Amino acid sequence: KLWRERRREEQRMEVGVTRRAASGLRGRRKLARWRGSRRDGRVRLSCTASSLDEWNGVCLSQACQAAKNQATLLATTGPVGMLAAFGLLKWNQAGEEGSASSSGASVEGSPGEEEEEGRVVEMETDVYGLDGYRLTRVPRGSPGARLKILLPDMERPRTFYFAETAKRKSVVFATTVERPVGIVFGESSEGRVVITQVDKGTDAYRKSQVAKLGEGDRFSAPEVGDRVRACSSINFFYSQASLFGVKPPARTVVLFGTEGKSFDEFCSALSKSQVSDGDLTLVLERDKEEESSR
């Protein structure tokens, strides 16, 4: 009799521990069913646990693992998508303000006003300066040349501004030459990009000879000694689809401004264009005194 009472007490303790363990299971599950029966004066207990999906954070079925993977994916892609959308918004705002790249994306805008040293400066309408590949706004009334240039990827000509840089009076003009160009560029003692040679038999050489004979505009063909203010190059425009990898960025013909840029940067921009991109556009500057002496 003493042995039976002790055995019952031990069994009650085992049942309590097993039930607490079963209640601690997480996920979709069916709790253990407990059955009791009296046999030979003893109580026999049996435990049946089924359909366990998760035990202490570890998935035991494919359905549980798939749900956990989906939750992890959503938690990861959500913040990334928000950051990408925020970056795209800032990109578009920068383009509207005229500080975006001069790629095929339109950077048109209203004249607007900007503050400079405590005073309001009015900007010109649809006139843009060049800082490498970037387009910059031009204050109204700034001295310098304004040229309308049409590039292959432009729907209509765009007006570009080139500030006065020479101490003597000079003329800034744009010209287009066929490929192969046959022009050798160098760096002057002042650190500017200049034309040092025009090869015979090229389109640039023929235009130069025609201009010297007086049969054309003298400021329409490249000549040795001309300073290079800008050249056509290639830049890439990243649309919203490009940011998410749906399609590649658009390869666009643009103008590269040489003012304030090194000779190596100019050579890098010049080498990006290919024969399939069409003719090479150059913006050149020539002193009037040199022109009159010729």
Side-chain angles (χ1 to χ4, degrees):
K1 184 176 179 180
L2 181 62
W3 178 84
R4 289 179 181 178
E5 292 177 355
R6 184 178 299 175
R7 180 60 180 166
R8 288 176 185 151
E9 182 66 18
E10 291 176 355
Q11 289 176 348
R12 282 197 295 270
M13 293 177 63
E14 292 176 359
V15 169
V17 172
T18 308
R19 283 180 176 174
R20 286 195 297 271
S23 64
L25 295 176
R26 291 177 293 178
R28 186 174 58 85
R29 63 196 181 281
K30 183 186 295 184
L31 293 178
R33 298 191 302 271
W34 299 91
R35 300 191 300 272
S37 62
R38 182 175 297 277
R39 180 181 177 182
D40 297 335
R42 299 182 182 180
V43 177
R44 186 182 62 184
L45 301 177
S46 61
C47 173
T48 304
S50 60
S51 302
L52 291 178
D53 284 343
E54 185 179 359
W55 173 265
N56 289 336
V58 179
C59 288
L60 303 179
S61 65
Q62 295 182 354
C64 173
Q65 188 63 42
K68 183 171 291 188
N69 293 341
Q70 184 177 7
T72 304
L73 180 62
L74 292 175
T76 304
T77 57
V80 173
M82 294 179 63
L83 289 176
F86 180 76
L88 179 62
L89 177 61
K90 291 298 183 181
W91 181 284
N92 293 334
Q93 290 178 353
E96 294 174 357
E97 294 172 359
S99 60
S101 170
S102 62
S103 59
S106 177
V107 197
E108 308 294 339
S110 58
E113 293 181 348
E114 294 184 5
E115 292 187 2
E116 182 178 341
E117 297 181 356
R119 59 189 181 90
V120 177
V121 180
E122 186 177 1
M123 299 297 170
E124 293 193 24
T125 306
D126 298 338
V127 178
Y128 302 94
L130 286 172
D131 180 15
Y133 292 105
R134 295 194 322 117
L135 296 180
T136 59
R137 295 293 185 184
V138 180
R140 187 175 298 277
S142 299
R146 291 162 177 79
L147 303 177
K148 284 190 175 182
I149 300 175
L150 178 64
L151 296 176
D153 293 329
M154 289 184 181
E155 298 180 356
R156 57 187 179 87
R158 177 174 292 169
T159 303
F160 293 93
Y161 166 79
F162 299 92
E164 296 179 350
T165 57
K167 297 180 180 179
R168 299 181 297 272
K169 293 184 178 180
S170 61
V171 176
V172 179
F173 61 96
T175 183
T176 303
V177 294
E178 298 177 358
R179 301 175 188 272
V181 178
I183 297 178
V184 180
F185 301 93
E187 187 176 12
S188 66
S189 58
E190 300 175 352
R192 298 187 179 277
V193 181
V194 296
I195 296 178
T196 59
Q197 181 180 332
V198 180
D199 294 341
K200 294 183 179 181
T202 60
D203 179 61
Y205 182 80
R206 288 191 294 269
K207 288 184 176 182
S208 177
Q209 293 302 309
V210 171
K212 288 180 180 180
L213 294 175
E215 299 179 4
D217 186 5
R218 298 300 301 270
F219 298 100
S220 62
E223 294 184 3
V224 175
D226 291 345
R227 295 182 293 274
V228 181
R229 299 296 303 272
C231 68
S232 58
S233 181
I234 297 297
N235 204 356
F236 293 90
F237 170 64
Y238 291 82
S239 61
Q240 183 176 1
S242 301
L243 293 175
F244 291 96
V246 178
K247 65 177 183 179
R251 191 173 186 273
T252 312
V253 180
V254 299
L255 270 185
F256 176 82
T258 62
E259 189 66 23
K261 305 301 177 182
S262 65
F263 184 74
D264 292 338
E265 289 177 305
F266 164 76
C267 293
S268 176
L270 191 65
S271 63
K272 290 182 179 180
S273 57
Q274 304 173 359
V275 177
S276 58
D277 297 322
D279 299 339
L280 175 67
T281 300
L282 292 172
V283 178
L284 305 174
E285 184 179 13
R286 184 183 304 165
D287 293 338
K288 288 185 177 180
E289 295 181 1
E290 294 181 2
E291 181 65 23
S292 61
S293 63
R294 297 173 184 174

